[in-house]
Structures are given as structure tokens and as C-alpha cells.
Amino acid sequence: MFESAATTLASILVLGLAGYGYHRYYKYLVLKKMTKAFEPGDPVLELAALGKGVPSTVLEEDDQPWIRKAEQLKIDQIVSGTHRGHYHLIIGEKGTGKSSMLLDAMQKVGGEGISMFEAHADLEIFRIRLGKALDYEFHEDYIGSLFSIKGPREGNTALLDIERAFNKLEKVALRRREIAGKPLVLIINSTHLLRDDEDGRDLLELIQQRAEQWAASNLVTVVFNSDDYWVYERLKQYSTRMDVLPVLDLPKDQAVSALRQYRVRNFKEEPSTQVLEEIFDQVGGRLTFLNRVAKSVDMLETCDHICGTEKTWFLNKCWILGEDMDDDVMDQQKYAAAAMVLAKALVDQEKEILGKGTNHPGQGQLLPQLPLHIAREIMTRADFIRSYDHINIFTIDAQAMVRADSVPMQNAFRQICSEPGFEKHLQATLDRISAIESLGRTRELVAKDLIAGQYKISGRSDRGQGITVEISPPGDSKK
């Protein structure tokens, strides 16, 4: 009996020690792998190197960007860890060079202490991408069940897994601060892809809470990169240490000068000032457009193609159907008509600006803009503007000003609003929408088999009163 008891006790003891030892080893391995994820080199930089290190929005010559934006210096300070005590929101329209400047700043420090990944609307995919960036498996490779220990991830949701990853990241950041003396940098690219629903808001709130704590203790600098205004609107509610960095289009003098230098260097031709100004009037200072124009053989033809593409996109999303539209498409036409009304308001404001001659030397003609609350008043809707921002028709900047998403889009607004009969077509659409809404609010009362006499109908159903019908026979003074 004693021999059997001793054997059983020894077996349990060995099993327990093995399980405890594996558990301790696994926790050590997790922190070691996550620490290694912040060593020099980053998967994002490796992917950029496979594409010859040339981001789509920055033209380079001899590995040096030919356009240097004013915001690059601050982004360099953020990524290198010298700008501390805050977390950052980089906001700007699509194609202004936000991601390219982040990659450029990462290349300067070799990716040391930096991890970058792309956001996604699905929380599970977001969890996987975060785990890949941090080299964290969320205990999916944990084999503690062999020792009759319940797996730590059983029954957990994606949000809980993300919280667990941040707990591990905090431990790694504490160790690294003692060695390197500067915070880690976590970059979340394309934050606007998160859905503006309950799950997306919960995730954004979770990340912001951690960002606030880490900024206060100089552990981790979180960088949000977003194209849409709603991310700023959501983060601003609880922000105390958030720093907003707007990234705008290039001013006229810088865009024209850079374009001329690139054409001289690579095409051995020097465009005239008139041609360069015409290009700027058509595509503005958006880097993604300048990139395509500078590399093309016929620059003006490429400008026309870009403007035509933007106009087609706007018409496909928001064209109005006029007075003959069917009532089944009224919801979509409300959306389209509101966009057309706002586009017309921006074109009218542009005419006023041109009439006053308010051109800015070095910047060119500034796009007309309206405060967000005024834009909602013009559209008579408050919910559409976020969707317009998301599909790159209108944009809302960090100062809550609404304007066309780009110069080609403003050109599209101008061309559409100047077409013959546009105002009449728009008014007919608005009248048809009003008529359909009025018809939906109207109730028809049909009376059948009436007898001779006088009838009186009284009461209001919308106030909780019943409808009373009284009749007086002919020649009878009483009801």
C-alpha cells in the first residue's frame, strides 16, 4: 500500500513539476518572441524592399524621395522615439503620403523598436494581424492541456485576446525602457477601416485606453493612421494626451518645383510654367496624382484621365434620376440628392471666392470649404457626411471643415453643376422626393354606400383621439 501510494504521489509530483515548468517556460518564450519582434527589421519594411522600396505615393531617385513634406520631420521624431508623452493621430485624405512618410521614417532607424500592421473591420482578422506584428500566438500554440491544464484561450473573444496581447506588450516595454531608455512604437495603419459600430467602437476605446496609459508612462507610443474624420471624432471624446497631425496636399510652389525637377532629371525636358500650372489646376498637390503625372509621357493627357475617373466615380455613386424616378429608389436618391446639393453649394462658394480674387501666392486656388454643421444644414441630413468621407467624395479635416476630397473631384463638381439644365434636374429630383414622402404621410379614407344627408368628421388619431362620423338626415335640424 505504501509503495503504491509513494508511486502515485511521485507520478503526480513529476507531472505537476513538468506542467509548472512548461508553463513558466512558455511565458518566458512569449516575452522573448515579442521582444524579438521589435528588434531591427520589420515585415512591412521587408515587403517594401520587395517592391524596390518605392511607395506608391512618393517618387524616389537614388533612394531619396524627390518630395519632402513638412510633416516628415515630426513623423521622424515620433517613430525614432524622441517625441514622447503623447499618442498620435495622423489624419489626411487618401494619397497624401501618410503611409509613405511612416515607412520612410521606419527605414531611417531600421525598424528598431517599431511594429506596424494594417487594421481590418473584422475583429478576428485584426487580432491575427496584431499577433503577427507582435509575434504573439495568443496561446494557440500552448500545450498545457497535456498536463490536464485548461487552455487559457478557450471561450475567449477577439477583444479579450487583444487585451491579453497588450498585457504582454506592456511587460516587454517595461524591460526595453530599462535597456534602451525610449518607448516602443506601435503603428496602426488604415484605422478608418474599423467599422463604426459597437464592436469597432469597443476596440478603438480599448486601444485608446492603453495608448493614454502608455503615453503617460513613456512605455509605448501608439500611432493611428486614418483617412476618415470619424476616427478623430471618436478618439477626441476621451483624449487627454492625443496629438493630431493633419497631412495635407502640397502647396503650389513646392509641387510645381518638384515636378519640374523630376521631368528634367528623368525625361531630359523642362516643362513650361504654363503647363505646370495647368497640371496643378487639374490635379492639385495630391502626391498620388503627381506621381502618376510625373511618370507619364503625356502629362496633360494623364491629368484628363484622372479628372475623368474622379467624375465617373462621383456620378456612379451619387447621380440623381429626376422627376420620373420610381419610389423604390427613394432612399438611394435621398443619399445622392444630398451629395449633389452639397456639391452645388461648394461650387457656388467657389464662384464667390473667384469673384473676390482670394488666390494665395505659393498655394494656388484653395478649395472651397464649409463648416461641418453648415454642410449638414445644407443637406438637411446629419448622417450622410461620414459615408461621403469614407468613399472619398467629400472630406472632413481635423478642423471639422468639409470640402471636396481632391482638386479633380472639385473639378468634377464644377463640370456637373455647369451642365445645361442641371439645376432644373436637381430641383425636379428634390420635388419628386418630397412628393413621395408626402404620399407616404397621407392616409386615404374611402366612404361607401352613403345615404342622403350631411356628414361631420371630427377627431385626430395622431393625438390619441378617435375618429367620429356624425350624420344629419335631410331636413332634420338634429344630428
Side-chain angles (χ1 to χ4, degrees):
M1 181 181 64
F2 284 121
E3 183 179 356
S4 299
T7 302
T8 303
L9 181 61
S11 300
I12 294 175
L13 182 61
V14 170
L15 184 64
L17 290 176
Y20 177 75
Y22 170 75
H23 183 68
R24 297 288 298 179
Y25 168 74
Y26 183 82
K27 294 178 67 175
Y28 162 79
L29 184 62
V30 166
L31 295 180
K32 182 180 179 181
K33 290 168 60 179
M34 190 173 291
T35 303
K36 189 176 180 180
F38 288 93
E39 291 180 356
D42 190 271
V44 176
L45 293 179
E46 293 177 2
L47 291 175
L50 292 177
K52 297 182 180 179
V54 184
S56 61
T57 54
V58 176
L59 294 174
E60 296 189 356
E61 181 68 20
D62 298 331
D63 297 329
Q64 294 296 326
W66 67 287
I67 292 178
R68 177 70 63 183
K69 301 199 68 172
E71 297 86 356
Q72 184 69 62
L73 178 61
K74 185 171 183 179
I75 292 179
D76 291 345
Q77 296 174 349
I78 294 170
V79 172
S80 63
T82 57
H83 193 286
R84 309 176 187 177
H86 295 86
Y87 63 101
H88 305 271
L89 172 63
I90 302 176
I91 186 171
E93 296 85 358
K94 182 185 71 174
T96 53
K98 303 183 298 299
S99 300
S100 300
M101 288 191 292
L102 286 170
L103 288 174
D104 184 56
M106 290 175 63
Q107 289 173 351
K108 292 176 182 176
V109 296
E112 183 180 2
I114 307 165
S115 185
M116 179 179 181
F117 69 100
E118 296 284 333
H120 194 273
D122 190 277
L123 294 188
E124 285 291 339
I125 298 179
F126 186 95
R127 178 186 72 86
I128 292 175
R129 292 181 177 179
L130 174 63
K132 181 182 178 182
L134 301 180
D135 199 6
Y136 180 56
E137 300 291 339
F138 300 100
H139 291 85
E140 292 174 347
D141 58 345
Y142 185 78
I143 57 174
S145 57
L146 295 176
F147 307 99
S148 299
I149 301 174
K150 182 180 179 182
R153 195 182 176 270
E154 294 181 11
N156 285 349
T157 62
L159 211 59
L160 291 176
D161 280 342
I162 294 170
E163 174 71 12
R164 179 179 288 112
F166 286 158
N167 290 335
K168 297 296 183 182
L169 177 59
E170 191 171 283
K171 294 181 180 179
V172 172
L174 283 169
R175 293 183 180 182
R176 183 176 178 83
R177 190 178 64 174
E178 297 176 357
I179 300 173
K182 61 180 182 179
L184 299 176
V185 179
L186 180 65
I187 302 174
I188 305 176
N189 202 24
S190 302
T191 314
H192 57 278
L193 295 181
L194 297 177
R195 293 193 184 99
D196 189 14
D197 57 8
E198 184 176 356
D199 290 338
R201 289 189 290 267
D202 288 344
L203 175 59
L204 205 56
E205 181 179 343
L206 169 64
I207 300 174
Q208 186 180 20
Q209 286 178 340
R210 289 289 186 163
E212 290 278 354
Q213 296 172 3
W214 292 337
S217 55
N218 289 328
L219 285 180
V220 182
T221 300
V222 180
V223 179
F224 299 94
N225 187 12
S226 174
D227 293 354
D228 292 352
Y229 175 77
W230 81 267
V231 177
Y232 166 75
E233 201 171 42
R234 180 65 183 175
L235 293 176
K236 189 177 184 300
Q237 298 181 28
Y238 308 109
S239 65
T240 56
R241 294 180 176 271
M242 184 175 71
D243 187 15
V244 181
L245 177 60
V247 179
L248 307 176
D249 291 345
L250 290 174
K252 181 178 180 179
D253 54 355
Q254 187 176 355
V256 168
S257 175
L259 192 58
R260 176 185 285 110
Q261 293 176 10
Y262 186 86
R263 297 295 292 191
V264 170
R265 182 187 305 135
N266 295 277
F267 288 84
K268 309 303 179 184
E269 66 175 12
E270 183 172 358
S272 64
T273 303
Q274 181 180 0
V275 172
L276 294 175
E277 290 183 351
E278 184 178 354
I279 292 173
F280 184 84
D281 290 340
Q282 292 192 52
V283 300
R286 186 66 51 87
L287 287 183
T288 184
F289 296 150
L290 291 175
N291 178 48
R292 294 167 56 184
V293 170
K295 290 183 176 181
S296 63
V297 178
D298 190 338
M299 294 189 293
L300 294 178
E301 182 181 354
T302 304
C303 291
D304 293 338
H305 177 71
I306 291 172
C307 292
T309 301
E310 294 296 298
K311 181 179 179 181
T312 302
W313 173 257
F314 178 57
L315 292 177
N316 289 343
K317 291 291 183 180
C318 300
W319 182 239
I320 48 180
L321 302 181
E323 61 182 353
D324 297 328
M325 72 176 182
D326 193 85
D327 56 354
D328 293 337
V329 298
M330 189 184 71
D331 292 337
Q332 189 275 336
Q333 283 298 289
K334 283 183 179 180
Y335 180 84
M340 286 294 175
V341 169
L342 183 56
K344 184 177 182 300
L346 291 175
V347 172
D348 293 341
Q349 186 181 20
E350 183 182 45
K351 293 178 181 178
E352 296 179 3
I353 294 176
L354 291 175
K356 296 177 182 179
T358 55
N359 285 339
H360 297 257
Q363 294 184 349
Q365 180 64 45
L366 297 180
L367 291 177
Q369 56 186 6
L370 296 168
L372 179 58
H373 66 283
I374 299 297
R376 285 172 168 165
E377 179 182 346
I378 291 173
M379 294 188 300
T380 67
R381 294 293 297 258
D383 53 341
F384 287 161
I385 190 65
R386 284 188 178 183
S387 178
Y388 299 146
D389 187 19
H390 188 66
I391 62 176
N392 302 315
I393 292 178
F394 300 97
T395 188
I396 313 172
D397 61 17
Q399 285 73 40
M401 299 298 290
V402 180
R403 59 177 178 269
D405 185 77
S406 61
V407 171
M409 188 61 72
Q410 179 66 26
N411 293 337
F413 293 166
R414 191 184 310 113
Q415 293 175 12
I416 294 171
C417 293
S418 62
E419 291 179 357
F422 170 77
E423 293 189 11
K424 182 179 179 181
H425 186 64
L426 176 59
Q427 188 59 46
T429 303
L430 297 175
D431 293 342
R432 175 60 176 163
I433 292 174
S434 299
I436 295 174
E437 288 183 334
S438 177
L439 185 63
R441 293 191 295 263
T442 303
R443 296 294 180 268
E444 183 178 355
L445 180 64
V446 179
K448 300 175 64 177
D449 301 329
L450 299 178
I451 61 177
Q454 297 180 351
Y455 293 86
K456 180 180 180 181
I457 302 175
S458 60
R460 293 188 60 173
S461 59
D462 59 342
R463 296 184 179 178
Q465 303 175 4
I467 303 297
T468 304
V469 180
E470 299 175 343
I471 181 173
S472 297
D476 189 356
S477 60
K478 297 182 179 181
K479 296 181 181 178

